[in-house]
Amino acid sequence: MTAGTPATGAGEPLRVESLATLPGLGGLYARGAAASGRIAAGRAMPGLPVIGQGRSVEGDGEAAPLTLPDVAYQVTGVPTADLAHHLHDYQRLLHEPVTDVLPAGYLHVLAFPLATAVMVRGDFPLPLLGMVHLANDVELRGHVVLGDVLEVRAWAENLRPHKRGVQVDLVAEVRRQSEPDARPVWRGVSTYLAKGFHLPWTSADAESSADAPDDAEDRAPAGTWTAPLPTGRWALGPGTGRAYGAVSGDRNPIHLSALSAKAFGFPRAIAHGMYTAARALADVGHARGDAYRWTVEFASPVLLPGTVDVAVTPDPDGPGFAYVGWNGGRGRQHFRGTVTPL
Amino acid sequence: MATRKPSDGSSRSASGTPARAANPHAPAGVRDAVIVGGNRIPFSRAGRKYADASNQEMFTAALEGLVARFGLQGERIGEVVGGAVLKHSRDFNLIRESVLGSSLSPQTPAFDLQQACATGLEAAITVANKIRLGQIESGIAGGTDTVSDAPVAVSEGLRRALLDASHAKTLQARLKAFAKVRPSDLKPLTPATDEPRTGLSMGEHQAITTARWGISRAAQDEVALASHQHLAAAWDAGFFDDLVTPFRGLTRDDNLRADTSTEKLAKLKPVFGRGLAEPAEPTMTAGNSTPLTDGASTVLLASAAWAAERDLPVLARLVDAETAAVDFVHGHDGLLMAPVHAVPRLLARNGLALDDFDFFEIHEAFASTVLTTLAAWEDADYCKAELGLDAPLGSVDRERLNVNGSSLAAGHPFAATGGRILATAAKLVAAKAAETGKPARALISICAAGGLGATAVVESV
Amino acid sequence: MTDSYTKAVNSGFTKTLAKKLGLPRPAILRRFRAGDPLTVGPVLVVADDASMGDADTLAKELLGWGLDVRRQPTDDTRWGAVLLVLTETKRPTDVSSAVLATGSVLRRLATNGRVVTLSRAAADGDAPALAAARNGVDGFLRSLAKELRAGATGNGIVLTDGVAVNGTSVLATLRFFLSARSAYVDGQLLPVGPADADLPADWDRPLAGKVAVVTGAARGIGAAIAKTLARDGATVVCVDVPAAGEGLARTANAVGGTALQLDVTADDAGRRILEHARTRHGSLDVVVHNAGILRDKLLANMKPAQWDSVVAVNLEAQLRINEQLLGSGVEGLRIVSLASTSGIAGNKGQTNYGFSKAGVIGHTRATAPWAAAHGGTANAVAPGFIETEMTASIPFATREVARRLNSLQQGGRPADVAEAIVFLASPASAGVNGQVLRVCGQNLVGR
């Protein structure tokens, strides 16, 4: 076994399944929507589920135990040489310096379709649509530049209870093709919540669940958290979701327009969580260095158009930065995270 | 007054008479750059008298007034340096074009320079340095800005389409380029004064600094009131008779409210810092913040010999200058706190202390900018941690602060403010020296967007 | 500001029409342009018998100016000017032949021609017949001026006793009257006394090296004065209230002078003017009190501010500035003040203005000896109807009447006033002191 070989949370090795190319997100969403419908049809009481709001599990106590597919997807020989335009569009949109260096958020964009492919597998136990993105934890260990040929792997692991349902980690790793056995140069763990699903609780689960961020509905009422003095303010236009959708390929309807978002129970379109996290990462700027850990926890969605107050503050005890974004008017937290040089 | 004496020795003699300020680091042979005088047009609130005046028209008018005051018709000036913060792309040679439209010799070279709100002062520093090095004998520094006639940009989508269309060779390709334009692309983009890296307007930035330093509404309103009262008194006393030339029928700064009062200022609603958690009641109003303003200013600098040959008056010397910048992006320091850093360095280099100044011209971007500047220099912790001083820099005697008003009352056409302040300071020290028979000194401090600040020492001759 | 009527009756079809209708046809006046001939044709010099010697002297001077000088009236000449010398006339009967000789050529006096008389002022102790003859010239000239047509003017030089006919100021005045500089001066008799001065080296630049201050220089007559002073060689300090600074800068830059934004009613206005002139230009030689305001109101409706401000600006300021300048011992200062025909003849609605302008005439006469004691002069110019932005605002009918009520049947131009001022300010005019020179086209009202 080489270091970094995918394993389940329990450490069991996974079967690696190679795909010829990175899948396109558009097709995946169609499949994801179909799979979500299938899962809903198989598990829900008629009339109860509303796509996009998770599912109710009342009366669903007899469902089969949830298990993750024991497979990791892998694509090798992913070229980046012809991505210059796409990369630069991304960098301009996210306020990154426009260079040939792929920022961590861009690598997330590259790897995300493969992780999504895992989630739309027929044996993936949770519905893609309606999953809530809770958190992300990314490590970038060095420069990835245009021209590097990459190897991308993705799998799901660590299915565990959450007080509102179950959460699962989607892990993606990026290696340089030239160094297949080395540690991944980029590794991202995206934590999703599927509301209304159950897992048997263990004491260890309870512990980990306590650490998990609350989702929006569980947040303490505004007022108990006092916003710091902002260091920045983002005025996000109504097209923010469409713009990030265009560069990331993530055209989840909840991001695209007020109308499509309403269909999923949001009053307006909401910004991609990774857009906000990547903006915060860009706000840290040069001080993050070439290798860094970048985490984010999402607390409440950012409605579009909207204004987000942001505080990006150096860690007084170390080289890292903490950031938090909130709604200046209502003092409601949207996200928070850290960027720590490695 | 607690005043830090510079560690490398004070220039003050035992008798208390200030010695001539000098930068000991200046290379030998560097000569004085003197300020002959200045001219500006009255500053006007955006959208009023100068609503259709361009930067070039305003700067040319300011230049023409200066030429008339000092009889510079046909004179080949060493260099004219200035700029505008909000600038049309067509104004790539704004200052040179203004020179060509003036009564100066068309052989007068010029260049544009920009350092946000410090543009005017930076232009003067640049001109002074050229004079001091003997590269030029005379120079005019200044700046102009219009918010009323500001450039309006098209959206990125429309801009792309226009560029594609202009490069297109066929009608079809041209139409194709425009087909990509979305209705939302047709909305014009007006220039923002938001900091590009933070998305916060200057007012919001200052609101954060104000909150951090706990500056009260009452204290800010007091600064604003003093500014209006001082400026009104200066106008009434004729102080600006040889500093301002009317333009477009405007004869005084029209933001000036001679009749404002504590009560009137107290009634104004806060406009900045409303989204902040603290303080619960925001403190920054339209009354204690500068309004958007149009205007232009110029200052004539020269070598002493050049001025003497032409029988021109000499008001003061531009002794030395220091610029600074702060790391405001992550809130380490306030956006407008750079002069707080520049001044101690400037004083130390020249062997001066705050006590050595007869006048302090601190640009009133906001009343609270002045107050946080003063507070920072009095704060031992801040002075130690941020400025590297063993003791607080000291207190500024409020009686010597902006004695003839500043930007809160006069308004603040960004690049024009430096020239206004420099000419005012030069005239103040000249009058003070004439009155007392002793050298007089002024400290100029101008904060600017981008966490920048420019400061200078002006001394009577 | 354009007098389109004068243009119309002097060109094309409308000229023919006006001729046939017998409409008044004001001439287009010849104004000074450097390089133009001094007169529009030969100069006829005539004199009574007793004055023949003076006439010869003057004829020689005129020849020296390059003029075509004749002593006999002939029928084949289009006369540019007639110089009628009556300096030594003793009795009224003496003038007859010379006067009639003058009359014999008037029909052939060219457009913009000139008639200039030279006579001596009646003085105390004159024999009655001598006084009669001398004073008679006054009425003769004023009447003759009214008979002249086509832009021709008649003016007289009145020598005070003891002044040689070729005295510096006599010649300077003669040249002024003969030239296009006096285009709108008509029917005036100017007393000229002795002068301790030289003729200018260059008649086109009589003010070379002089420093002149003009108040109210931002526009109108003031701007024209500044330009004319500069044209004639002076360095000009342009003064106006700070509020007029934009126009002031324009004037200063046009004349290559300096702008001094100053309210002339300020207590220290004179000292500041002097300081500016001395520190920036080395001296102060000429001050032109042009700044003036109008606050027209019938006296019954006059508010204190309307009366007081006019008196303060038009009169008190001049007094104070003169006191400060003369009190500072400025040597050789030439003071020229702007009076007005309103101050001579009066004008309805202008009791304040008339008071101030008559006051100017009064203080000019009183200041003259004081100025003379310092080698200077104090004179005034009284403009009549001058085409300016100010008069352009007068309603059409009123304006049309006002501008025709003079021998030249038209309004003057700011430059006409300026020419008179430059003449009075020039070193060679030192013998003209305490005088009021009207620039009014011989306005029908007043003297």
Side-chain angles (χ1 to χ4, degrees), chain A residues 95 226-234 242 283-285 287 309 312-314 321 326 328-329, chain B residues 182 196-200 204-205 207-209 211-212 274-278 328-332:
Chain A
H95 299 212
T226 302
L229 290 172
T231 61
R233 180 166 295 163
W234 303 340
R242 286 189 294 277
D283 278 1
V284 168
D309 276 11
V312 181
T313 42
F321 289 79
W326 69 97
Chain B
R182 302 170 63 103
R197 283 181 190 274
T198 64
L200 288 164
E204 289 302 324
H205 265 291
I208 292 163
T209 311
R212 186 179 293 165
R274 286 184 298 191
L276 301 183
E278 304 281 349
F328 69 96
V329 177
H330 299 135
H332 181 78

Side-chain angles (χ1 to χ4, degrees), chain B residues 64-65 67-73 103 240-249 251 310-313, chain C residues 242-246 248-250 252-259 261-263 272 276 279-282:
Chain B
E64 281 296 84
V67 170
R69 184 158 302 136
F70 297 109
L72 306 175
Q73 303 86 5
S103 304
F240 296 111
D241 284 358
D242 59 358
L243 293 177
V244 178
T245 301
F247 181 58
R248 299 269 165 109
T251 57
R310 283 157 187 78
D311 292 323
L312 289 169
Chain C
E246 189 175 10
L248 186 69
R250 206 162 31 237
N253 289 340
V255 306
T258 54
Q261 296 188 156
L262 170 72
D263 185 339
R272 285 169 61 187
H276 179 101
T279 59
R280 304 289 294 285
H281 307 294

Side-chain angles (χ1 to χ4, degrees), chain B residues 10 47 52 72-73 79 115 120 149 155 163 184-185 200 202 255 268 303 328 343 365-366 379 406 409 412 426 441 452:
Chain B
S10 164
D52 65 344
L72 306 175
Q73 303 86 5
E79 191 111 52
Q115 195 181 44
D149 189 45
S155 70
L163 287 171
S184 61
D185 289 336
L200 288 164
M202 192 176 277
N255 183 58
L268 298 171
S303 68
F328 69 96
V343 164
F366 303 90
D379 188 291
S406 189
H412 171 40
R441 231 176 252 132
L452 294 165

Side-chain angles (χ1 to χ4, degrees), chain B residues 330-351:
Chain B
H330 299 135
H332 181 78
D333 220 332
L335 176 73
L336 303 179
M337 294 291 271
V340 176
H341 293 249
V343 164
R345 307 200 300 240
L346 178 64
L347 298 194
R349 185 164 66 227
N350 288 277

Side-chain angles (χ1 to χ4, degrees), chain A residues 85-123:
Chain A
H85 271 300
H86 185 240
L87 171 65
H88 296 163
D89 283 349
Y90 173 92
Q91 286 165 330
R92 288 191 188 100
L93 184 68
L94 278 305
H95 299 212
E96 284 282 353
V98 176
T99 68
D100 285 356
V101 179
L102 280 52
Y106 186 76
L107 288 163
H108 174 87
V109 165
L110 277 191
F112 180 65
L114 199 61
T116 307
V118 174
M119 288 195 278
V120 301
R121 279 174 62 95
D123 55 357

Side-chain angles (χ1 to χ4, degrees), chain A residues 244-273:
Chain A
Y244 186 73
V247 297
S248 69
D250 180 357
R251 292 194 178 83
N252 189 329
I254 59 175
H255 302 308
L256 300 186
S257 70
L259 198 64
S260 55
K262 274 191 183 114
F264 292 86
F266 291 96
R268 304 202 299 272
I270 64 171
H272 293 77

